């Protein structure tokens, strides 16, 4: 088992990125990204792979407490630095401390800043009574009460986001360690610490950072409940409350989380989850979720599922009408097989998609690590056959990505983000399985990644008739 990220793979990933970036910029020079976004991409990719190799090797032998302190301070420091930089950068570029073409983020801030001045009856009516859906209500409620304490302070809110994201890194360590061992737990935490996408969202006013914290907290507590020999009403209530909170952030996320827990109950080894405990938890969980969520969430989930094909078709038609001629081919059956490695990085300047260009380096990292995810899935099913150890994490990732692939947002980085922590755990497990025999598959992946990068640039421009 490899306890760290090999230097050879790290340097290869960097060289492949620099070569792909140069090729895209030269081939499509009229639509090359600005120098600012090019530098950001290089910073994300070089920083990630160099730091992951260095820290995973340097910290592999540290005592647990020392390792967790190092990872926590590093994660928070990086996120705080990005919050400061992005706050200034956005003001310089847009005139306000919000991202390019900001929509939802400004809406969240305006709603919560107003509600912070109101009493509970007004808050309840606006967020719950006057709506037919519950998605987003949890995040606005959180911001409302946060602003009652600190005021509508945009910068401080993002500093607090850095704290939540740091806790997410620690929870990833606990979850991965419990399922796949100490070495995989540490590498998973290091991946999560340095992955650009999670750092990036700390500088935005969107709900993703808090939502991911709640998601990983749910998976961690659900996994603890499954494996604990002693459990009580508190250890059962906590994952139920966390699951319900997910519905108030994104309905399909809560549905996928509950599905993963039920799947883990059914397939986790009997030596871990006894027969009577399995029956008790299934019955109690169904009763609790049914009682506490009520009809609104159930109806919203049903409506989302019933409208999935209509929504996808509407999204594709809208994109086609705006000039994206090839969008109609991005159907669920086409996107589903490649969801483990999505989204592709946008390395060309088109349709003023500046946020996508800013995070293109992070998406490249996801593409590259996707090879190790595939290796982990293949090994767990056909070689080591320990797929039951991944039943909770894997079933959530598959369920959520399956839902997104059937929607109109199959390549939306924001909508794919909730699957990222689980994919990072699977990628870390794939790295730990490396040996001389299966390394040849990684070498093949070195050819696949540049093809994906170049192919996506060709698709982005060609579908708009720009060359």
């Amino acid at each position: 088992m490899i306890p760290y990220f090999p230097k050879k793979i790290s340097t290869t990933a960097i060289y492949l990125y620099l070569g792909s970036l140069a090729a895209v910029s030269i081939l499509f020079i009229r639509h090359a990204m600005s120098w600012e976004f090019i530098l950001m991409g290089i910073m994300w990719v070089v920083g990630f792979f160099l730091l992951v190799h260095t820290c995973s090797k340097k910290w592999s032998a540290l005592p647990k407490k020392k390792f967790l302190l190092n990872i926590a301070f590093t994660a928070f420091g990086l996120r705080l630095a990005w919050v400061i930089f992005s706050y200034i950068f956005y003001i310089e570029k847009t005139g306000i401390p919000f991202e390019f073409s900001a929509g939802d983020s400004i809406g969240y801030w305006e709603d919560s800043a107003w509600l912070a001045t109101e009493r509970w009856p007004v808050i309840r009516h606006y967020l719950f009574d006057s709506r037919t859906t519950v998605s987003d209500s949890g995040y606005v409620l959180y911001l409302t009460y946060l602003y009652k304490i600190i005021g509508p302070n945009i910068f401080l809110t993002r500093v607090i986001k850095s704290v939540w994201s740091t806790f997410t890194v620690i929870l990833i360590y606990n979850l991965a360690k419990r399922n796949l061992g100490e070495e995989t737990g540490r590498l998973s935490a290091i991946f999560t610490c340095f992955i650009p996408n999670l750092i990036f969202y700390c500088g935005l006013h969107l709900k993703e950072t808090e939502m991911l914290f709640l998601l990983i907290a749910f998976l961690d507590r659900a996994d603890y409940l499954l494996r604990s020999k002693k459990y009580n009403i508190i250890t059962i209530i906590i994952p139920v409350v966390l699951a319900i909170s997910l519905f108030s952030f994104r309905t399909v996320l809560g549905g996928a989380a509950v599905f993963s827990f039920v799947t883990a109950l059914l397939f986790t080894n009997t030596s871990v989850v006894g027969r009577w405990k399995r029956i008790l938890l299934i019955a109690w969980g169904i009763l609790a979720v049914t009682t506490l969520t009520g009809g609104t969430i159930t109806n919203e989930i049903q409506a989302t599922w019933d409208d999935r094909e209509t929504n996808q078709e509407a999204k594709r038609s809208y994109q086609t009408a705006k000039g994206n001629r090839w969008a109609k081919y991005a159907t669920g059956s086409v996107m589903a097989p490649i969801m483990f490695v999505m989204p592709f990085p946008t390395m060309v300047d088109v349709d003023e998609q500046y946020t996508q260009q800013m995070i293109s380096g992070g998406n490249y990292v996801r593409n590259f690590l996707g090879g190790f995810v595939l290796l982990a899935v293949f090994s767990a099913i056909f070689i080591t056959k320990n797929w039951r150890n991944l039943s909770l994490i894997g079933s959530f990732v598959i369920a959520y990505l399956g839902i997104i692939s059937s929607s109109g947002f199959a390549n939306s980085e924001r909508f794919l983000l909730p699957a990222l922590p689980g994919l990072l755990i699977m990628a870390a497990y794939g790295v730990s399985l490396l040996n001389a025999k299966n390394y040849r598959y990684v070498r093949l992946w070195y050819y696949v990644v540049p093809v994906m990068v170049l192919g996506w640039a060709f698709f982005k421009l060609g579908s708009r008739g720009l060359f």
Side-chain angles (χ1 to χ4, degrees):
M1 178 173 286
I2 299 178
Y4 59 89
F5 196 73
K7 182 178 181 180
K8 183 177 181 180
I9 297 177
S10 176
T11 54
T12 301
I14 293 172
Y15 291 146
L16 286 176
Y17 174 76
L18 295 176
S20 300
L21 177 62
V24 169
S25 299
I26 293 172
L27 288 174
F28 310 109
I29 192 168
R30 291 193 299 120
H31 302 284
M33 295 189 295
S34 70
W35 66 269
E36 297 163 308
F37 299 141
I38 290 176
L39 289 180
M40 280 187 190
I42 295 173
M43 174 194 71
W44 290 128
V45 173
V46 174
F48 176 84
F49 285 108
L50 287 184
L51 289 170
V52 162
H53 163 69
T54 302
C55 294
S56 63
K57 190 170 185 179
K58 185 177 180 181
W59 296 347
S60 62
L62 290 178
K64 176 182 174 180
K65 184 176 181 180
K66 180 68 173 177
F67 169 78
L68 291 178
L69 285 173
N70 282 4
I71 203 77
F73 281 115
T74 303
F76 179 73
L78 288 172
R79 284 151 177 77
L80 179 61
W82 176 253
V83 165
I84 296 171
F85 169 80
S86 62
Y87 189 87
I88 299 171
F89 178 80
Y90 287 136
I91 291 177
E92 177 67 23
K93 294 298 181 180
T94 70
I96 55 176
F98 291 91
E99 69 276 14
F100 300 96
S101 304
D104 289 348
S105 55
I106 293 181
Y108 294 144
W109 179 75
E110 290 178 342
D111 281 353
S112 53
W114 161 59
L115 289 173
T117 66
E118 300 290 343
R119 299 177 64 85
W120 167 245
V122 176
I123 298 172
R124 182 188 62 198
H125 175 75
Y126 180 76
L127 293 180
F128 303 105
D129 298 341
S130 65
R131 299 186 179 197
T132 58
T133 63
V134 297
S135 291
D136 289 344
S137 60
Y139 181 58
V140 177
L141 181 64
Y142 158 75
L143 286 180
T144 296
Y145 279 96
L146 180 63
Y147 289 167
K148 283 181 177 292
I149 299 172
I150 67 171
N153 190 310
I154 296 173
F155 179 79
L156 187 55
T157 300
R158 295 175 186 176
V159 173
I160 296 173
K161 285 178 180 287
S162 300
V163 175
W164 292 126
S165 188
T166 300
F167 280 129
T168 302
V169 175
I170 303 301
L171 290 174
I172 285 288
Y173 165 78
N174 291 331
L175 179 62
K177 174 189 174 183
R178 205 179 294 123
N179 285 269
L180 298 166
E182 178 70 28
E183 290 81 6
T184 302
R186 294 194 177 201
L187 189 55
S188 299
I190 291 172
F191 279 174
T192 310
C193 173
F194 295 114
I195 189 73
N197 304 66
L198 299 187
I199 298 173
F200 182 78
Y201 274 88
C202 291
L204 303 179
H205 228 67
L206 296 170
K207 63 183 177 180
E208 271 64 26
T209 298
E210 290 83 358
M211 186 170 69
L212 285 183
F213 168 76
L214 292 173
L215 169 63
I216 302 306
F218 164 77
L219 293 176
D220 176 65
R221 289 300 87 194
D223 183 70
Y224 177 82
L225 176 62
L226 289 172
R227 298 173 180 276
S228 176
K229 300 300 181 182
K230 296 181 180 180
Y231 53 95
N232 51 45
I233 191 68
I234 300 298
T235 57
I236 296 176
I237 283 289
I238 290 175
V240 170
V241 171
L242 289 169
I244 293 171
S245 71
L246 290 173
F247 284 101
S248 69
F249 275 70
R250 185 175 293 164
T251 310
V252 295
L253 188 66
V258 171
F259 172 81
S260 68
F261 181 61
V262 174
T263 303
L265 276 173
L266 292 174
F267 292 104
T268 301
N269 289 323
T270 306
S271 59
V272 177
V273 183
R275 181 189 305 173
W276 290 111
K277 181 180 179 182
R278 194 189 308 268
I279 294 173
L280 173 64
L281 289 178
I282 290 176
W284 197 93
I286 293 174
L287 176 63
V289 171
T290 303
T291 301
L292 295 174
T293 58
T296 301
I297 291 177
T298 303
N299 293 337
E300 189 173 344
I301 293 175
Q302 185 65 45
T304 301
W305 178 254
D306 291 341
D307 295 340
R308 67 192 187 281
E309 293 183 0
T310 303
N311 291 338
Q312 185 183 59
E313 180 62 28
K315 175 73 172 180
R316 299 307 174 209
S317 298
Y318 172 75
Q319 291 175 323
T320 302
K322 290 192 68 177
N324 194 341
R325 298 176 300 175
W326 298 346
K328 60 184 178 181
Y329 300 115
T331 61
S333 58
V334 172
M335 304 304 286
I338 56 176
M339 291 303 287
F340 280 143
V341 300
M342 297 284 278
F344 299 131
T346 296
M347 294 186 183
V348 288
D349 185 11
V350 59
D351 293 345
E352 298 184 350
Q353 296 176 345
Y354 300 129
T355 297
Q356 292 186 35
Q357 294 176 52
M358 287 178 68
I359 199 60
S360 63
N363 290 343
Y364 169 84
V365 171
R366 294 186 62 165
N367 298 156
F368 189 87
L369 294 181
F372 297 102
V373 174
L374 296 176
L375 177 60
V377 172
F378 180 83
S379 298
I381 296 175
F382 298 107
I383 300 178
T384 61
K385 297 182 179 181
N386 65 337
W387 58 270
R388 293 177 183 271
N389 291 341
L390 288 168
S391 58
L392 178 67
I393 301 167
S395 61
F396 168 77
V397 170
I398 292 171
Y400 183 77
L401 291 180
I403 294 170
I404 298 302
S405 70
S406 299
S407 72
F409 304 96
N411 192 54
S412 170
E413 191 274 336
R414 182 182 172 191
F415 280 86
L416 291 171
L417 191 70
L420 180 57
L423 292 172
L424 291 177
I425 293 175
M426 296 165 72
Y429 180 55
V431 172
S432 72
L433 295 173
L434 282 178
N435 54 42
K437 183 177 181 180
N438 60 32
Y439 180 65
R440 67 179 185 271
Y441 299 118
V442 177
R443 295 179 64 183
L444 288 175
W445 194 248
Y446 294 162
Y447 295 96
V448 174
V449 173
V451 171
M452 290 192 296
V453 172
L454 290 167
W456 183 242
F458 178 82
F459 180 90
K460 296 279 283 190
L461 297 174
S463 64
R464 293 164 174 82
L466 297 178
F467 64 80

